[in-house]
Amino acid sequence: MEAPKVELCENPRQNASLLSVLTFWWTKDMFRKGSTRTLGLSDLYTPLEADRSDTLGDGLEKHWKQQLQTHPKQPSKSAKPSLVKAIFRTFWRELMLLSTVTLFGEIILRIAQPILLGRLLLYFRRQTDMTHEEALYYAIGMIAAKAASVILDNQYSVIAFLTGVRSRIAVCSLMYRKALRLSRNALSDTSPGKVVNLMSNDVNRFDILSYLLCYMWSAPIVTIIVLVLLWHEVGWAGPIGMGVIFVVTPIQSVFGKLTSRYRLETALCTDKRIRSMDEIISGIYVIKLYAWEKPFAQLISLARKLELKTVLKSNVIRGLYMTFQLFTTRAALLGTIVTLILMDEEVTAAKVFVVASYLNIVSHVMAGMFIRGVAEIAEGLVATRRLQDFLELEEIEGGHQAEGKIVPDLLQSEKPRDDMVEMPADVAISLRTLRHVGSRTKTVR
């Protein structure tokens, strides 16, 4: 039964203004419809031109072919083509936009807030030289910095996850085109379950990876700037408090590497289980004939237990390095205050609030995003390596023909004939000079 065709609405994001994009005002019609009735298929928007799978697939395929031409298949790892480079060259504009938003949001605005807070708290001291107008300016500056930070954070999340979705769609489109050109030897070595696993599990790493990628370079810069500001604010007590974060960060890095190793083991176990399921389904008639259901069911159960055992190890390691975020900031703040007391320094509310804000920033970018990014990048490299192995499989000769070229016959051993004609790109099969011979049968009653 053919699915009904639904006319989709025009996407308002296509022609939205800059203010509408920053405030998400272009989504008001969808919320208005959803508040009065249940949304249906006819309420969906058409995809943007930049989000279409053919556009994304063409761009990635172009850069992947450049990698294949520049780095032909050789035993040395340095000369191998890189799918990661092809993805970066395809989405470099989105990555530059994310880097710009990170520069203003994470480095400038987020660090400016504790500075403005410290200046504002000086107004509430008993003996202060700050006027009421200066305090009002600092308060307005804090509100403006926080508002701008919220807007940039939301835009960063949308652009980052949208870039991840585009990367996933482009890789899936490239894999689909590759699957249509695989040779017989490659098809015999590649099971359908493995391809499904690649397109359903491995490509999902691009979603979160695009969000954490910019923290890999911004987190060290933020840490250095905060360290200098803490030294200016509380002296030696600042670096001592930061030392707690620096101790926790390498431990979390080790956990990230372990997560990458268990991720690879989980993928291999999943491929093995899916391959076994494909073989069982292919030979189900023989299994039912000889009543081998229970032994094969136990075989699949054993493969699933081994897979879940590896998944459990990965989740335990992931939970351990995420729990460090709960006490890292508090332990660093405790170390700073204790150091101030031991050094007979004055402990004021302004110092405590400012130091706590600085340590929260460092803990967020280092113990949170940076370490998580290390783990996700390690898992993403494992997934990208598996995807690249599939894209480097052997293809049939002449499997990829350009538009307007002569389409060869299926039999490669047969020489091209003179009656071959040029076919348009939207025509897959052309038949001519056909004859049908039929016979009529009589039913005898």
Side-chain angles (χ1 to χ4, degrees), residues 151-420:
I151 294 176
L152 290 180
D153 285 346
N154 289 327
Q155 291 298 322
Y156 179 85
S157 300
V158 172
I159 298 173
F161 286 115
L162 184 59
T163 303
V165 171
R166 288 175 178 176
S167 303
R168 175 159 50 89
I169 293 174
V171 173
C172 289
S173 177
L174 188 60
M175 289 184 61
Y176 177 77
R177 300 177 186 185
K178 178 70 177 183
L180 298 178
R181 303 193 299 265
L182 290 178
S183 62
R184 291 184 179 272
N185 295 331
L187 286 173
S188 61
D189 296 336
T190 305
S191 62
K194 181 179 180 180
V195 178
V196 172
N197 187 29
L198 290 175
M199 300 184 68
S200 59
N201 294 328
D202 292 76
V203 296
N204 291 335
R205 299 296 166 184
F206 295 114
D207 294 343
I208 188 64
L209 189 60
S210 61
Y211 182 83
L212 300 173
L213 192 60
C214 288
Y215 285 96
M216 295 298 99
W217 63 267
S218 63
I221 297 176
V222 171
T223 303
I224 295 175
I225 295 176
V226 170
L227 185 60
V228 174
L229 293 175
L230 281 175
W231 173 271
H232 177 73
E233 188 73 27
V234 293
W236 281 102
I240 292 176
M242 293 270 295
V244 178
I245 301 177
F246 292 152
V247 171
V248 173
T249 301
I251 299 176
Q252 291 180 303
S253 300
V254 174
F255 288 156
K257 293 181 180 179
L258 291 177
T259 304
S260 172
R261 189 181 71 180
Y262 288 133
R263 165 62 187 165
L264 179 59
E265 293 180 3
T266 303
L268 295 177
C269 291
T270 304
D271 292 342
K272 183 178 179 181
R273 179 178 58 85
I274 293 177
R275 190 182 304 111
S276 300
M277 284 297 302
D278 292 338
E279 294 175 355
I280 290 175
I281 293 174
S282 301
I284 191 65
Y285 293 109
V286 179
I287 294 175
K288 300 293 285 185
L289 178 64
Y290 290 96
W292 288 343
E293 295 92 342
K294 291 184 178 181
F296 279 93
Q298 294 177 358
L299 182 65
I300 296 300
S301 299
L302 179 61
R304 182 58 177 167
K305 288 181 181 179
L306 294 176
E307 181 183 358
L308 290 178
K309 186 178 180 180
T310 309
V311 172
L312 180 61
K313 292 179 181 179
S314 178
N315 290 336
V316 169
I317 297 298
R318 186 187 297 271
L320 285 176
Y321 78 75
M322 292 184 67
T323 52
F324 282 101
Q325 302 178 18
L326 300 177
F327 68 89
T328 302
T329 305
R330 295 174 177 85
L333 181 60
L334 177 63
T336 303
I337 296 177
V338 169
T339 305
L340 286 175
I341 295 174
L342 294 177
M343 295 175 63
D344 295 332
E345 295 288 342
E346 183 183 6
V347 180
T348 61
K351 288 184 178 180
V352 173
F353 278 101
V354 172
V355 170
S357 300
Y358 283 141
L359 293 177
N360 277 325
I361 294 174
V362 177
S363 178
H364 171 70
V365 298
M366 288 297 296
M369 295 301 176
F370 183 80
I371 298 303
R372 188 181 178 187
V374 171
E376 293 293 340
I377 285 178
E379 295 184 11
L381 291 177
V382 172
T384 307
R385 195 179 308 118
R386 286 163 48 83
L387 294 169
Q388 182 171 334
D389 291 340
F390 176 79
L391 295 175
E392 291 179 350
L393 292 176
E394 182 184 1
E395 298 183 4
I396 58 175
E397 297 181 2
H400 185 73
Q401 298 293 335
E403 181 178 355
K405 299 293 184 180
I406 296 178
V407 180
D409 194 52
L410 293 178
L411 298 177
Q412 299 179 5
S413 60
E414 184 179 353
K415 296 181 179 180
R417 301 187 304 271
D418 296 334
D419 57 348
M420 287 186 175

Side-chain angles (χ1 to χ4, degrees), residues 10-17 20-21 24 26-27 45 48 51 155 158-159 162 166:
E10 184 181 359
N11 199 325
R13 175 64 175 78
Q14 188 74 43
N15 299 319
S17 61
S20 178
V21 172
F24 299 99
W26 59 272
T27 61
Y45 298 138
L48 299 175
D51 296 338
Q155 291 298 322
V158 172
I159 298 173
L162 184 59
R166 288 175 178 176

Side-chain angles (χ1 to χ4, degrees), residues 49-64 66 83-100 159-174 203 206-207 209-210 213-214 387:
E49 294 296 331
D51 296 338
R52 295 186 177 275
S53 60
D54 53 352
T55 304
L56 296 173
D58 292 341
L60 182 58
E61 186 177 19
K62 173 185 175 182
H63 293 93
W64 173 244
Q66 291 178 358
L83 180 61
V84 177
K85 293 182 180 179
I87 294 175
F88 269 87
R89 292 178 180 178
T90 305
F91 300 100
W92 67 271
R93 293 183 180 86
E94 289 83 352
L95 296 177
M96 288 297 297
L97 181 59
L98 286 174
S99 300
T100 305
I159 298 173
F161 286 115
L162 184 59
T163 303
V165 171
R166 288 175 178 176
S167 303
R168 175 159 50 89
I169 293 174
V171 173
C172 289
S173 177
L174 188 60
V203 296
F206 295 114
D207 294 343
L209 189 60
S210 61
L213 192 60
C214 288
L387 294 169

